[in-house]
Amino acid sequence: MNTNQILSATNSYQTTEAYKKTSDSKVTDTAQSTTETADTSAFVYEKKSTDTSAANNSKNKNYVTLTKENKAIVEQLKADAEQRTAQLRSLVESMILKQNKTFQVGALTDEKMYEMLRKGQIEVSPEVRAQAQKDIAEDGYWGVEQTSERLFSFAKAISGGDVSKAETLIAAMEKGFKQATKSWGDTLPDICEKTLKAATEKIRNWAKQDSDTEAMTDAAQDAFTAQAGTSALTE
């Protein structure tokens, strides 16, 4: 990270734009086109085996083919999560360097960053604290509603519209929550518990689904740990 990046890190922590929810009708239309046809414009999210045995066909029943639209939704959400996580890390590095001029940011692992945030070892400016409070507010980017909506949208997209698989995705999300707890190093803030509950309700109300559970786990882990880190900035 060069000097200009470090000096501008705090300024980069600005009000986040509200997540734009994909309309239910749009997702429904996509789901129908996915289940009714398998045209050449679709992307295979997981590669199917060429083995045509009965056992293998049974195993493949959870594989889905994503339309371009659903693939775009997945990629958008993943890229957004990575950007927000990088932004949080850049902010933390900047605050640490202001406190300790000799600190080597290259040695700042994710575990160490979360530990410092969790234990309140980073001096947070009033401006950053105020912005973090906005971000975890009811209508904030890392608030319960918007974060659970992003997880819900990710689940719908990777399901390919198959509404029979909710419990497997919910289990994957819970696994991500547990992994986030491990990464965080302690019990996650209450806002993360509320988000998990809200996202679970959204998925169950929509239907039931499954698909790439590893991707769902990673998405949930990133969301919960970033949410916890932002919450820590307000304490």
Side-chain angles (χ1 to χ4, degrees):
M1 176 180 293
N2 60 40
T3 304
N4 289 334
Q5 287 176 313
I6 294 173
L7 294 177
S8 64
T10 301
N11 291 332
S12 72
Y13 192 65
Q14 300 172 345
T15 303
T16 50
E17 181 181 359
Y19 172 70
K20 296 181 180 179
K21 176 181 177 182
T22 304
S23 68
D24 289 338
S25 61
K26 199 171 186 180
V27 172
T28 301
D29 291 342
T30 301
Q32 290 178 336
S33 66
T34 302
T35 55
E36 291 175 2
T37 64
D39 60 39
T40 56
S41 66
F43 288 82
V44 177
Y45 198 66
E46 289 192 22
K47 184 177 180 180
K48 294 185 179 181
S49 170
T50 57
D51 187 347
T52 57
S53 66
N56 201 63
N57 286 338
S58 177
K59 179 187 283 189
N60 285 339
K61 67 182 180 180
N62 287 332
Y63 288 32
V64 296
T65 299
L66 295 187
T67 62
K68 286 183 177 180
E69 183 177 11
N70 275 344
K71 183 179 174 64
I73 292 172
V74 169
E75 294 304 321
Q76 173 197 338
L77 292 169
K78 288 170 65 177
D80 186 60
E82 290 171 0
Q83 177 185 359
R84 301 292 177 178
T85 300
Q87 183 186 56
L88 175 63
R89 184 182 180 86
S90 177
L91 176 66
V92 170
E93 289 176 351
S94 175
M95 291 188 294
I96 290 175
L97 287 173
K98 287 180 180 179
Q99 296 174 229
N100 185 352
K101 303 298 183 182
T102 63
F103 186 86
Q104 298 297 317
V105 294
L108 183 64
T109 63
D110 287 347
E111 290 76 12
K112 183 61 177 177
M113 178 179 71
Y114 294 135
E115 178 186 354
M116 296 179 75
L117 285 170
R118 188 178 73 250
K119 294 182 177 180
Q121 296 176 342
I122 300 174
E123 183 177 339
V124 182
S125 70
E127 294 79 14
V128 169
R129 189 183 306 277
Q131 183 57 55
Q133 289 173 336
K134 289 181 181 179
D135 284 345
I136 64 170
E138 184 175 351
D139 59 347
Y141 181 87
W142 289 117
V144 173
E145 175 56 30
Q146 287 198 46
T147 305
S148 63
E149 185 62 37
R150 288 193 299 275
L151 289 171
F152 175 43
S153 295
F154 190 95
K156 286 195 295 184
I158 65 173
S159 76
D162 187 343
V163 297
S164 68
K165 303 174 180 178
E167 294 307 317
T168 305
L169 270 182
I170 290 172
M173 186 166 60
E174 291 173 344
K175 182 179 178 182
F177 183 88
K178 291 178 181 178
Q179 290 183 351
T181 302
K182 184 177 180 180
S183 297
W184 183 242
D186 198 353
T187 301
L188 290 170
D190 185 55
I191 189 173
C192 298
E193 290 271 6
K194 292 179 179 178
T195 300
L196 174 62
K197 181 179 179 181
T200 298
E201 289 178 352
K202 288 174 186 289
I203 294 174
R204 283 183 175 150
N205 287 340
W206 174 62
K208 299 182 181 292
Q209 48 188 289
D210 170 24
S211 169
D212 186 68
T213 58
E214 183 178 353
M216 186 70 235
T217 295
D218 291 344
Q221 178 182 359
D222 291 344
F224 290 129
T225 50
Q227 191 178 52
T230 305
S231 177
L233 294 173
T234 70
E235 298 176 359

